[in-house]
Amino acid sequence: MSKISITVVVSVKNEELNLPHCLEKLSQFSEVVVIDSQSTDSTPEIVKQFGFKIVDFNWDGKFPKKRNWTLRNVPLKNDWILFLDADEFLTDSFIKEIGAKTKDSNFKGFWLNYNNYFMGKELKYGDKMKKLALFKKDSGEYEQIQEDSWSHLDMEVHEHPIIDGEIGKIGSPIIHKDYKGLEHYIARHNAYSTWEAKRYLFLLKTGFNKLTKRQKVKYQFINSGFLPMIYFLGSFVFKLGFLDGLAGYHLAKYKANYFFQIQTKIAELKHTK
């Protein structure tokens, strides 16, 4: 049986808990490349056990970050590239759909949908996650954000791909399920909120022009001070997150607190300047 002509790029750092669940779903693809940011756990050994290629990445604090660096520096044999995080697990229906839709397609990229798990439960409601994480390698790359002087995130977490061409949609979901638990979730979003606060202050100087509609709305509400409350009501009430029970409530509260962290960190940074 011929393999699917898509290169899967998995970005990792110390992902021994999630990575086996991710890699075991990738045997049908003709190329899998794991980009590793100097892991100190058993991540490299796990990749070798699966027989996939591993590439070391050591960020110098400047552009390009991990995914753009991969597109520019790592020989990838397929035209289509699927970017995954280690806590994202492919379903059979998703694999079948992308295998079919990337053949002789006029699209240059595809929006992907995710079924989110939180505290061990699948969430069917609330704010849905989606990414433009499948695209042709010659059609674009992730946006560049001027952040050499203040960012400590070595991968494009908040950056969006800028694709030259028509974008389609994949209906079948990817499973998003982090086995690292709440301690890791809280620490990760603490780092993200610091990045968001510093970016907001940078944008105050340079302008809010080159942003997506969702980004512009987010920063407008951050400036108003009401974003934590607006997000909680939107996700838990209007998007029916309450139907997911306690897990839905907890996630909505954590995400609202994330925006509260951004707002208070902005205030602190303004005060210390």
Side-chain angles (χ1 to χ4, degrees), residues 124-237:
K124 298 181 181 297
Y125 303 94
D127 194 23
K128 294 295 184 181
M129 176 177 164
K130 68 174 184 176
K131 296 182 189 177
L132 178 53
L134 173 62
F135 54 87
K136 285 192 169 183
K137 63 184 177 184
D138 60 351
S139 64
E141 61 181 18
Y142 286 81
E143 64 181 322
Q144 180 179 359
I145 296 176
Q146 299 295 333
E147 53 180 319
D148 293 351
S149 62
W150 51 263
S151 177
H152 60 280
L153 300 177
D154 76 343
M155 189 176 75
E156 297 85 351
V157 175
H158 304 281
E159 294 88 337
H160 299 275
I162 307 300
I163 304 301
D164 183 15
E166 192 174 357
I167 309 299
K169 295 180 181 179
I170 301 297
S172 301
I174 293 174
I175 303 299
H176 178 234
K177 186 176 184 180
D178 191 348
Y179 285 89
K180 290 183 177 181
L182 281 178
E183 183 177 0
H184 175 258
Y185 176 90
I186 294 168
R188 179 158 49 95
H189 282 78
N190 183 42
Y192 292 169
S193 64
T194 298
W195 186 97
E196 291 266 27
K198 290 181 177 180
R199 188 192 186 196
Y200 178 84
L201 293 179
F202 182 80
L203 290 173
L204 282 179
K205 300 176 182 178
T206 61
F208 294 82
N209 298 322
K210 295 182 179 180
L211 299 175
T212 66
K213 183 178 179 181
R214 184 181 175 96
Q215 287 173 327
K216 289 179 180 179
V217 170
K218 177 178 70 176
Y219 287 123
Q220 286 174 353
F221 281 126
I222 283 177
N223 189 51
S224 74
F226 294 115
L227 185 55
M229 179 181 65
I230 290 170
Y231 180 87
F232 180 81
L233 291 175
S235 180
F236 190 66
V237 179

Side-chain angles (χ1 to χ4, degrees), residues 113-117 122-123 128-129 173-177:
N113 299 300
Y114 297 77
N115 284 355
N116 196 32
Y117 281 72
E122 181 180 3
L123 304 182
K128 294 295 184 181
M129 176 177 164
I174 293 174
I175 303 299
H176 178 234
K177 186 176 184 180

Side-chain angles (χ1 to χ4, degrees), residues 265-273:
K265 287 179 180 181
I266 289 170
E268 181 181 55
L269 288 170
K270 285 181 176 179
H271 180 71
T272 57
K273 284 187 175 295

